[in-house]
């Protein structure tokens, strides 16, 4: 059974601080996605990474896919209260069209 | 349509009852997914449709759960003999095509509470 573990599970930081969220698995994924979900809404896709070692930047967010395509990280620089939410990683294995979601990291950024 | 819509937004039912949850995907999206999200956890895959057919239903927990998409657009998730453990938010997502890495657009979900 594929399992995506995210750490930390909860994170509360002050505005302006930096943070990193990790997504780890023993399985190899052909693609991995990061989502942010706010209360009462569905997850919204932030990025998709497909190549081992790939780094993508989205404003203050930096996403990295591990060389072995088993893990990923999300780094936020100078966090803002608007970054508050549940961050989810989701991985797909080659030949399947379903994404397995991680356990989630709940981030709270205090003003 | 503007986005994926799901109805009802909330459903409260009694143990043993039958419920139907509806999903209206984005117009033109051929792929449709159902997920279940329990409190404090990530979404759990239930079933994936490509057009009218269920391409992968490996996530359905048991035979009380069934989903249809008769015309390749709207989908209905049906749960028979509901149990308290079925309480969760049921999310629907659609994508333009079932390509790996394609963007899934999620609806706001239906919160199901089984008393």
């Amino acid at each position: 059974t594929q399992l995506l573990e995210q750490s930390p599970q909860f994170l509360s930081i002050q505005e302006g601080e930096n943070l990193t969220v990790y997504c780890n698995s023993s399985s190899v994924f052909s693609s991995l996605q990061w989502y942010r979900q706010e209360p009462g809404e569905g997850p919204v896709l932030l990025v998709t990474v497909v190549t081992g070692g790939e780094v993508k930047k989205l404003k203050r967010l930096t996403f990295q896919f591990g060389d072995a395509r088993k893990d990923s990280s999300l780094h936020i620089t100078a966090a803002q209260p608007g970054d508050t939410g549940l961050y989810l990683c989701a991985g797909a294995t080659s030949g399947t069209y379903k994404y397995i979601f991680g356990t989630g990291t709940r981030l709270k950024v205090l003003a | 349509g503007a986005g994926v819509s799901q109805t009802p937004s909330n459903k409260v039912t009694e143990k043993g009852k039958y419920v139907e949850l509806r999903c209206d995907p984005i117009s033109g999206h051929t792929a449709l997914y159902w997920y279940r999200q329990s409190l404090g956890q990530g979404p759990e895959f239930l079933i994936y449709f490509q057009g009218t057919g269920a391409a992968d239903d490996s996530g359905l927990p048991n035979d009380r759960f069934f989903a249809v998409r008769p015309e390749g657009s709207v989908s209905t998730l049906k749960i028979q003999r509901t149990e308290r453990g079925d309480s969760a938010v049921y999310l629907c997502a659609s994508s333009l095509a079932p390509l790996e890495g394609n963007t899934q657009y999620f609806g706001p979900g239906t919160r199901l509470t089984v008393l």
Side-chain angles (χ1 to χ4, degrees):
Chain A
T1 302
Q2 299 165 353
L3 191 65
L4 276 167
E5 294 282 351
Q6 289 186 236
S7 61
Q9 191 175 358
F10 299 98
L11 190 56
S12 181
I13 61 171
Q14 293 291 327
E15 182 177 4
E17 293 183 0
N18 302 332
L19 68 117
T20 302
V21 175
Y22 299 93
C23 174
N24 294 291
S25 176
S26 58
S27 300
V28 175
F29 294 103
S30 53
S31 65
L32 192 138
Q33 298 182 325
W34 283 92
Y35 292 80
R36 186 173 79 198
Q37 185 178 21
E38 300 192 24
E41 299 180 9
V44 175
L45 180 67
L46 297 174
V47 77
T48 300
V49 286
V50 298
T51 305
E54 182 176 2
V55 176
K56 281 192 174 179
K57 292 191 175 185
L58 182 66
K59 296 182 181 179
R60 295 176 292 101
L61 277 60
T62 302
F63 305 86
Q64 184 163 8
F65 201 11
D67 291 340
R69 290 183 288 132
K70 292 183 179 182
D71 55 86
S72 181
S73 64
L74 158 61
H75 182 80
I76 301 178
T77 302
Q80 299 177 0
D83 296 328
T84 293
L86 178 66
Y87 287 82
L88 296 158
C89 63
T93 53
S94 182
T96 71
Y97 301 124
K98 69 183 183 188
Y99 276 83
I100 304 300
F101 278 80
T103 49
T105 293
R106 191 165 297 280
L107 171 66
K108 186 169 186 178
V109 182
L110 305 170
Chain B
V4 178
S5 62
Q6 293 185 245
T7 54
S9 55
N10 282 284
K11 176 70 177 178
V12 180
T13 191
E14 294 179 343
K15 180 175 177 293
K17 299 290 189 181
Y18 167 82
V19 297
E20 289 190 352
L21 311 179
R22 177 186 167 109
C23 172
D24 281 84
I26 293 173
S27 178
H29 281 194
T30 62
L32 186 146
Y33 303 78
W34 282 100
Y35 294 86
R36 178 169 69 175
Q37 187 172 25
S38 300
L39 192 63
Q41 297 182 20
E44 171 192 5
F45 170 82
L46 296 178
I47 186 170
Y48 150 63
F49 286 90
Q50 172 52 27
T52 60
D56 185 341
D57 64 357
S58 61
L60 294 177
N62 51 59
D63 61 6
R64 295 187 298 105
F65 288 75
F66 189 70
V68 296
R69 195 186 184 198
E71 297 178 358
S73 179
V74 171
S75 176
T76 305
L77 178 65
K78 308 180 181 193
I79 310 174
Q80 298 178 323
R81 304 182 305 280
T82 51
E83 299 177 357
R84 292 194 180 88
D86 299 335
S87 296
V89 175
Y90 289 81
L91 294 166
C92 174
S94 70
S95 66
L96 193 57
L99 295 176
E100 199 175 301
N102 235 10
T103 300
Q104 292 182 65
Y105 296 88
F106 281 83
T110 293
R111 181 176 298 279
L112 175 66
T113 303
V114 182
L115 301 176

